[in-house]
Amino acid sequence: MRDASVPDAGPWRVLGGPGPLSGVRVVDFGQYIAGPMAAMLLADQGADVIRIDPPGGPRWQSPANTALLRGRRSIVLDLADAEDRARAQALVESADVLIENFRPGAMARWGLDPAACTARNPRLIYCSLPGFSRHDPRAQVPAWEGVVMAAGGAYAPLPSMLENTGDPADVLPPLFTPVPLASVLAAMEAAMGVAAALVARERDQTGQVVEAPLFDALLEASSSRAMTFERHAPRFSDFGSGVYRCADGRMVTFLANWFRHLRLFVEAAGRQAWIADGLVDLHALREDPQLGVELRRRLVELFASRDAREWEALAQASGCTVGMLRTAQEWLAEPAAVESGAVTLLDDPDRGRTHVPGLAVEVEPFGRAEIRPPRPVGTDTDAIVRAIDQQMSGSSRRPLGSPPQASAGPRRPALAGVRVLDLSRVVAAPTTAKLLGQWGADVVKIDADPSKSEASFEEPALHEHLNRGKRTAIVDLHSDEGRQVFSRLVSRSDVLVQNFTVGTDERLGTDERTVREQAPDIVSVYLNTFGTRGPWAGVRGFAEIANVTSGLTDHVLDGRTPRSGSDPTIDAPRWFYTDYATGLLGAFGALIGLYGRSQGVANVAVETSLVRATMLEQISWIVGSAVPEAEATAVDAGEPFGQRPWQRLYQAADGWVFVGATPGQFVKLCRCLDLDTDDREVAELEVELEQVLAAGSMHERERAFRDAGSGFHPVVRLDEVMAPGGPAEALGLRLVDRTEDFGVVAMAGPVVRMSATPMIPGDFPGRFGADLPALLDELDDLDERV
């Protein structure tokens, strides 16, 4: 690592600020969302990021750049020019990390491909975020966001939503979503991969190549929805969770994931008679599906009796989970938005005082890192070019970057030898711990006895997926014996992951102060819904609540009105993607926390939240005026099938296809299909294109798509992506286990590709809690050695 305490001379002074990545230099070639967001996540943690733009500035001119391009220096280089190309190559020689998100092979045109760059700088971490992996036969397809989303199953209905007619014409049509899910998840995967590579480099002294393709990242976003069981799939009980219309016409999402949440809400709402009638009875609701139907009918009537804000306030006061469906602008007007840290205000040089997503992850003891606004394009060109020219002429005052060193030996997983103690529940935080296990950590998961659970799902939630690769133990933290086991485990752990409601950790003795007395050097990772500051810090919630309260769901619905009493997962796609995004942020935080610890920093504590993730998912439209009532600067959601005629879903005779193109390529496509484009309005061409595409098969139109240079992909269902012999299996992303209880179980595996320290999927978990005796024996052995 570069010594951050000694500032670089002259123009090479480090722009990065205090943070776990202080002193790490990143060269950012990224465009659009994925690459710039990955660099933003690193810059926010103190990395010195130098952005290279082509003449004319970023390819994507969007208000979102206020957030995406923040906190970095800006240099304009024309890579078609030999002199500028040599400067870019020299700059990479000084870097710790390179980020690019072009198609595989594109960087080779400029002598900036992974092999060339790592040969010149063996300590370099070279991070690529292509639409499709270099291992994917679709690697050269123009991978517009919609093209990748269509390929990854994000636009198709889930198999359970299809009409069981056997006729493809009778299935539900695809549902477009404006959420740039592939780019956002890939950015998080890439940042996590870079952090893991930095940890490994501290040990091995060499860099490596990291690849986080957008298509692959969608499998992280779909995760539990992509799982299949041959038999005995986990059961769910109906405790009334759903979307309900209120007296003022507005909608709320009500969640009763545990029976106590339902009972608390019924009592708070003054409906104790439901309990006396036997309607609110745990055993009955689990055994009689019709009772759940009746409960839902009564909840429809109940929610219609008060306004949405009243229900939300009542639930927050009573410890229940209800969230009002808000617009993004309404969310920005809530004190909780800024006070929680999920949103911040920047002084943009062009837009003035502007709302942007806050830090995705906060890491103490570095404090709340300053978020610096973007600098005008090319601001630092002259100064950096002078420094590069001095370096290239040999007259630089000191060499840039660290000297290459030989590898310390075989490359073990990045977190080999690290122990993680996982106290978390449900989806987001357990995902963090699962990902750390995939980086090689020994993860120990402890939880209460699942046989005593009163949850609407089988606990631990999604055990077969989220506890893969973990050792598990049943520990009652309310008992003296359980607290003693916890104390012994935490004192020998490097990372602690938990997501209890604010205040619960103190009652259980897992709070920061108590833990540090037993494990002073532990990296503490905490996730919840709304963070630990502001008026909503103690509000209980889940991903569905974060989505509806922060404006994400409203934008996805785009005016569509869900039926009162319908399923709470109303976002498109109907995946738990905010949970998995938050889990990724938690793992990224844990990794940079461990990196900071390796630099001698003590008392590292990491915090993120579900609502911080929703801010990144909304980055295309959340960047707005500081005046909440002002007109939003949102991206137009457009029609149900896309945002623009050249970026939308079209129906062909044999299915649906997403077409991704520039306006010029759209016109060329129309010409390739023999449409008259002279003096024609775009809307008119769009209608004719719809008719032409509907009259033939996608295969018949492939040549026209290719000749026009446009991207396209048929809309694929998630079960087709995960099917035997399908894309996931072909890319090595499908895990298959043959189990006694469930038969064949298939699920998605690790996403990030690492050239030297690959991720590992871990073993299929056995019965929960089975590892406690062995863990206790292991602790006894350690005690004896001490």
Side-chain angles (χ1 to χ4, degrees), residues 300-320:
V300 168
E301 295 178 352
L302 176 61
F303 276 104
S305 67
R306 301 190 196 181
D307 290 349
R309 284 188 181 274
E310 292 182 65
W311 285 120
E312 186 178 67
L314 178 144
Q316 290 182 359
S318 59
C320 305

Side-chain angles (χ1 to χ4, degrees), residues 192-221:
M192 178 180 66
V194 167
L198 285 168
V199 171
R201 194 181 71 171
E202 285 300 293
R203 179 192 66 207
D204 302 334
Q205 299 300 306
T206 57
Q208 59 182 303
V209 178
V210 179
E211 188 188 53
L214 273 65
F215 172 80
D216 300 19
L218 280 178
L219 287 176
E220 192 81 73

Side-chain angles (χ1 to χ4, degrees), residues 507-732:
R507 293 194 296 273
L508 294 176
T510 65
D511 58 286
E512 185 82 10
R513 181 186 60 80
T514 304
V515 166
R516 293 250 175 249
E517 291 174 355
Q518 303 165 79
D521 294 333
I522 201 164
V523 174
S524 174
V525 181
Y526 178 72
L527 296 77
N528 72 353
T529 306
F530 295 108
T532 58
R533 301 191 304 274
W536 289 8
V539 171
R540 179 177 284 116
F542 302 92
E544 295 91 338
I545 300 297
N547 290 351
V548 298
T549 57
S550 68
L552 176 63
T553 298
D554 174 78
H555 200 83
V556 170
L557 288 175
D558 191 30
R560 293 184 294 269
T561 303
R563 176 179 54 82
S564 185
S566 57
D567 185 87
T569 309
I570 56 178
D571 298 300
R574 292 191 177 184
W575 304 345
F576 303 116
Y577 53 81
T578 294
D579 276 309
Y580 292 108
T582 310
L584 280 165
L585 293 177
F588 168 62
L591 285 160
I592 59 176
L594 287 168
Y595 179 76
R597 192 180 73 166
S598 73
Q599 309 305 302
V601 178
N603 300 323
V604 178
V606 176
E607 178 189 325
T608 189
S609 65
L610 291 161
V611 78
R612 289 179 193 258
T614 68
M615 294 298 94
L616 296 184
E617 291 161 350
Q618 297 184 74
I619 202 164
S620 295
W621 62 83
I622 197 68
V623 179
S625 168
V627 182
E629 293 76 17
E631 182 179 355
T633 57
V635 172
D636 181 12
E639 298 299 320
F641 299 128
Q643 295 178 330
R644 302 288 187 270
W646 48 85
Q647 293 281 340
R648 58 155 287 190
L649 294 157
Y650 287 91
Q651 188 170 21
D654 55 348
W656 289 81
V657 62
F658 189 93
V659 176
T662 65
Q665 290 169 344
F666 172 76
V667 173
K668 188 175 181 180
L669 174 61
C670 292
R671 290 174 183 158
C672 290
L673 292 169
D674 298 325
L675 298 181
D676 180 10
T677 60
D678 294 338
D679 300 322
R680 305 289 295 281
E681 296 289 335
V682 168
E684 189 178 358
L685 286 175
E686 182 181 15
V687 172
E688 290 194 24
L689 182 61
E690 283 181 335
Q691 295 169 350
V692 169
L693 293 178
S697 70
M698 286 178 273
H699 178 71
E700 293 170 339
R701 309 303 184 197
E702 276 191 30
R703 182 169 181 177
F705 289 132
R706 297 186 193 280
D707 289 347
S710 63
F712 69 97
H713 201 287
V715 174
V716 181
R717 296 198 315 269
L718 185 56
D719 59 317
E720 294 172 329
V721 173
M722 289 296 297
E729 185 170 80
L731 292 168

Side-chain angles (χ1 to χ4, degrees), residues 71 130 144 198 261 271 316 361 387 485-486 518 524 531 585 593:
W144 295 92
L198 285 168
H261 297 163
R271 294 298 187 272
Q316 290 182 359
V361 175
V485 172
F486 166 76
Q518 303 165 79
S524 174
L585 293 177

Side-chain angles (χ1 to χ4, degrees), residues 88-383:
Q89 293 166 353
L91 184 56
V92 169
E93 290 178 16
S94 79
D96 298 288
V97 179
L98 179 152
I99 293 177
E100 59 90 8
N101 62 321
F102 301 111
R103 273 181 257 174
M107 293 286 279
R109 290 178 293 173
W110 306 309
L112 293 166
D113 55 288
C117 289
T118 54
R120 288 192 292 265
N121 181 358
R123 285 175 56 84
L124 180 70
I125 296 165
Y126 190 111
C127 180
S128 296
L129 297 89
F132 296 99
S133 168
R134 66 185 185 276
H135 306 287
D136 196 312
R138 300 163 295 186
Q140 296 307 311
V141 170
W144 295 92
E145 187 78 28
V147 171
V148 178
M149 295 278 277
Y155 292 150
L158 290 168
S160 60
M161 298 166 63
L162 301 178
E163 296 176 2
N164 189 24
T165 64
D167 184 351
D170 288 338
V171 302
L172 296 172
L175 183 61
F176 174 77
T177 174
V179 182
L181 201 58
S183 289
V184 171
L185 267 291
M188 295 176 181
E189 298 276 2
M192 178 180 66
V194 167
L198 285 168
V199 171
R201 194 181 71 171
E202 285 300 293
R203 179 192 66 207
D204 302 334
Q205 299 300 306
T206 57
Q208 59 182 303
V209 178
V210 179
E211 188 188 53
L214 273 65
F215 172 80
D216 300 19
L218 280 178
L219 287 176
E220 192 81 73
S222 62
S223 277
S224 59
R225 295 292 200 187
M227 285 185 68
T228 57
F229 295 83
E230 184 178 12
R231 60 178 182 270
H232 303 154
R235 294 176 52 195
F236 295 84
S237 301
D238 188 357
F239 292 171
S241 295
V243 181
Y244 294 93
R245 182 171 297 282
C246 302
D248 55 358
R250 302 198 62 163
M251 307 294 291
V252 296
T253 288
F254 164 64
L255 290 182
N257 286 339
W258 278 269
F259 179 73
R260 67 179 180 276
H261 297 163
L262 171 62
R263 185 166 184 131
L264 274 173
F265 177 75
V266 168
E267 291 174 345
R271 294 298 187 272
Q272 285 83 355
W274 293 9
I275 300 172
D277 292 345
L279 181 64
V280 182
D281 179 274
L282 174 63
H283 179 75
L285 285 169
R286 282 180 168 173
E287 298 300 321
D288 183 4
Q290 289 305 308
L291 197 61
V293 173
E294 173 60 17
L295 172 63
R296 194 173 293 272
R297 185 192 67 78
R298 293 200 196 181
L299 285 170
V300 168
E301 295 178 352
L302 176 61
F303 276 104
S305 67
R306 301 190 196 181
D307 290 349
R309 284 188 181 274
E310 292 182 65
W311 285 120
E312 186 178 67
L314 178 144
Q316 290 182 359
S318 59
C320 305
T321 47
V322 173
M324 185 178 78
L325 180 63
R326 285 172 172 75
T327 66
Q329 288 296 304
E330 286 178 317
W331 165 245
L332 296 179
E334 290 285 349
V338 173
E339 291 183 39
S340 69
V343 176
T344 193
L345 288 163
L346 283 185
D347 290 317
D348 184 270
D350 298 320
R351 299 174 51 78
R353 197 78 168 148
T354 305
H355 278 114
V356 296
L359 290 175
V361 175
E362 289 191 5
V363 184
E364 295 289 352
F366 302 98
R368 300 176 197 171
E370 176 189 2
I371 298 180
R372 301 176 301 277
R375 294 156 75 88
V377 174
T379 295
D380 306 289
T381 299
D382 291 343

